Amino acid sequence: MPAPPLVTFDVFSALVDSRHGAAQTLDGWAGERGWAVSGRAVYDRWDALNKSAHREVQSWLPYTELAETALAATYAQLDLQGEPATDTRALLASMADWPLWPDVEEGLAELSGHCRLGVLSNIDEDLLALTRVRTLPVDPTAVVASERVRAYKPAARMYAEAGRLLGRFVHVASSARDVRGALEAGVAVVRLRRPGHSVDPAGPLPQHETSSTIGLAALITEVVHQR
């Protein structure tokens, strides 16, 4: 009997609603400190700067260091009161409370009966262990974090090293950079449509898309048979 196909997921965007979770923490700070902008606006700026750092970093640095640099730049650009080092630690600790998307628990429980489930993530392993992904039926031997391979998505090295470690896999992603990065690296991709995320118009377009993890097994079977 052939081994079940391996399906990997991006953590923030595909599984965890990071924007909603982080914005709640940042909204609390906005109220306490009298910020003139919403927590969501702060998150959006920080997230964009953080992702830019992942694309541009020349040699690997821990996620927390890049996140702190991005938060310091966010505060400077938005003229906000805060202490970047302390606030970064608090913001990342709040990942434990960031919610899963509503379909994820049911969808992955169903999918785990047909596929082996894994994760490709840019966050460090200790942070990943904090998230609610810990409650999902993910095979711990199929988790590849940037810390392990010393590369960040969307760099081709991240996907190549995942393939070396895991063998062939189908990657489920929502963010534009992850979808494009995986496709350009030659990985089979299912784009999971999530609010606030779109494809990169300058990159290749995914052939397979869905709006929910529920019922994903049939689409994964189709993708695997096409390879």
Side-chain angles (χ1 to χ4, degrees), residues 29-186:
W29 297 354
E32 294 166 2
R33 303 174 187 180
W35 290 353
V37 295
S38 68
R40 179 156 291 190
V42 178
Y43 172 78
D44 287 345
R45 183 68 59 91
W46 173 72
D47 184 55
L49 291 168
N50 211 22
K51 288 177 177 176
S52 179
H54 295 164
R55 287 192 301 269
E56 296 170 5
V57 65
Q58 295 300 305
S59 58
W60 187 86
L61 293 171
Y63 179 93
T64 300
E65 290 188 27
L66 297 179
E68 181 182 332
T69 299
L71 191 62
T74 298
Y75 285 176
Q77 291 179 14
L78 298 179
D79 193 23
L80 301 178
Q81 173 192 354
E83 209 297 304
T86 300
D87 291 350
T88 297
R89 289 193 295 272
L91 181 60
L92 298 185
S94 77
M95 286 179 176
D97 299 319
W98 296 3
L100 299 169
W101 289 99
D103 60 278
V104 165
E105 290 184 330
E106 179 181 348
L108 267 66
E110 175 187 73
L111 187 61
S112 66
H114 305 272
C115 304
R116 179 180 168 220
L117 306 185
V119 163
L120 299 187
S121 180
N122 276 359
I123 63 172
D124 297 344
E125 292 176 4
D126 61 336
L127 295 175
L128 180 58
L130 287 177
T131 72
R132 293 186 178 179
V133 173
R134 69 184 184 277
T135 68
L136 301 174
V138 170
D139 181 348
T141 68
V143 173
V144 178
S146 62
E147 180 180 18
R148 182 179 182 185
V149 299
R150 294 300 195 261
Y152 284 104
K153 295 183 289 184
R157 174 179 168 81
M158 179 72 170
Y159 305 98
E161 286 296 297
R164 183 182 65 81
L165 293 165
L166 304 177
R168 298 181 73 182
F169 62 94
V170 178
H171 187 47
V172 179
S174 296
S175 68
R177 65 168 179 168
D178 199 8
V179 171
R180 177 175 179 174
L183 287 171
E184 291 183 338

